Amino acid sequence: MNLSGYSALTLIERIDFADDLALFRMKPPTSVDFIPGQYATIGLMDDNTGRPLLRPYSLASAPNEDPLEFFIERVDEGKLTPRLWELDTGAEVWMRDKIVGRFVLDESRTFHVMAATVTGVAPYVSIVRDQIRALKTGALDEPFRMLILHGASHSWELGTYVPELATLADEHPWLDYVPTVSRPWDESEWDGETGRVEDVLRKHMDAWAPPADDTAAYTCGHPKMIDKAQGILTRAGLEEESLHEEKYFVERVSA
């Protein structure tokens, strides 16, 4: 079949955080440019149709960073992710060449509040990595201020992004990172923030105190978190056009 418009990625590493959560690193044949926060459509060949079976995943890697990095949750009843978990290093994964999405930084504002559940942190990681590069190269004169709230039931579900973002927050005064877990009783060693993302959002918004007319907010991940967080952000005085969301799945409504 004609696979023009697609590229073959090579799986070079998978790091498991839980049975159903993993970081996938894939090497592209050439450098991949995109806007931080956008998503790639990747998948495997479907033997029944002879075409790739594709799903969208936000990129955690920065533009032109090699390898490409994806933080993926396995859906046991899904058609694609169980097959991704079966892949060995060196396996081929197809990617649509066009990277798309509008969940990107609103550069008309200085302050950026970013809330995520589990894998929803991926676009924020891309944005942070890209800003660090832009500041180092002189492509950006002044940094945008960022507050990232990253939640999960357990700390291990936050992946390697806790040490990465915590270290970057220590190194860069423009970045604040708050990981939070909603089931702290399952891990006595956890000494960080506790509660769901939407439960701690207002607390950290108040402490950060960004001006509402110069602030954009982003919510990414679980639909319930997004709906609740959007309400909190609206009540905090943020304008509707400054609110951005990326729901990773749509919940089914029972008949």
Side-chain angles (χ1 to χ4, degrees):
M1 65 165 291
N2 181 6
L3 287 172
S4 61
Y6 294 89
S7 294
L9 310 178
T10 302
L11 177 63
I12 61 173
E13 185 178 24
R14 189 185 97 203
I15 301 174
D16 292 327
F17 306 134
D19 290 342
D20 60 349
L21 288 169
L23 181 157
F24 287 78
R25 291 194 173 108
M26 304 181 190
K27 185 172 182 59
T30 59
S31 180
V32 179
D33 195 20
F34 57 93
I35 302 172
Q38 291 187 311
Y39 63 86
T41 307
I42 64 172
L44 301 171
M45 195 61 66
D46 187 333
D47 294 335
N48 294 323
T49 65
R51 299 187 61 82
L53 173 65
L54 303 167
R55 296 290 184 270
Y57 294 102
S58 296
L59 286 145
S61 44
N64 299 304
E65 194 173 74
D66 188 353
L68 300 179
E69 186 172 307
F70 301 94
F71 188 10
I72 298 177
E73 180 176 2
R74 173 179 172 140
V75 180
D76 288 336
E77 64 272 21
K79 294 182 178 180
L80 177 62
T81 54
R83 292 180 60 193
L84 289 177
W85 256 251
E86 295 173 355
L87 297 178
D88 295 322
T89 301
E92 189 175 73
V93 178
W94 290 96
M95 181 182 75
R96 189 172 288 154
D97 289 337
K98 190 174 182 181
I99 310 296
V100 296
R102 296 182 294 176
F103 193 71
V104 299
L105 201 68
D106 176 359
E107 296 186 351
S108 69
R109 299 172 192 264
T110 305
F111 297 85
H112 302 269
V113 179
M114 303 169 169
T117 54
V118 195
T119 59
V121 78
Y124 308 149
V125 175
S126 179
I127 290 169
V128 167
R129 291 178 180 177
D130 187 65
Q131 173 153 293
I132 291 171
R133 177 204 57 79
L135 290 167
K136 285 181 177 178
T137 61
L140 182 66
D141 293 328
E142 293 293 331
F144 295 101
R145 292 286 309 278
M146 301 178 192
L147 167 63
I148 299 177
L149 300 167
H150 184 197
S153 296
H154 305 100
S155 63
W156 54 83
E157 296 169 336
L158 302 172
T160 54
Y161 299 109
V162 173
E164 176 182 352
L165 291 172
T167 298
L168 292 176
D170 287 340
E171 295 173 350
H172 302 283
W174 48 263
L175 175 63
D176 290 282
Y177 173 63
V178 181
T180 181
V181 300
S182 60
R183 297 178 63 88
W185 52 85
D186 288 340
E187 43 184 320
S188 58
E189 69 278 9
W190 176 256
D191 61 357
E193 186 65 89
T194 60
R196 298 181 185 275
V197 170
E198 62 269 28
D199 296 332
V200 302
L201 173 59
R202 187 56 190 261
K203 167 186 171 182
H204 289 278
M205 277 279 291
D206 289 346
W208 211 47
D213 61 354
D214 195 22
T215 300
Y218 312 78
T219 50
C220 186
H222 198 288
K224 285 185 178 178
M225 180 279 289
I226 290 174
D227 292 342
K228 292 178 181 178
Q230 293 271 0
I232 293 168
L233 293 163
T234 299
R235 290 191 293 275
L238 270 66
E239 302 166 352
E240 184 177 350
E241 60 267 26
S242 71
L243 303 180
H244 311 272
E245 66 176 49
E246 188 98 311
K247 292 182 178 179
Y248 274 6
F249 65 91
V250 177
E251 291 189 301
R252 295 184 179 90
V253 178
S254 300

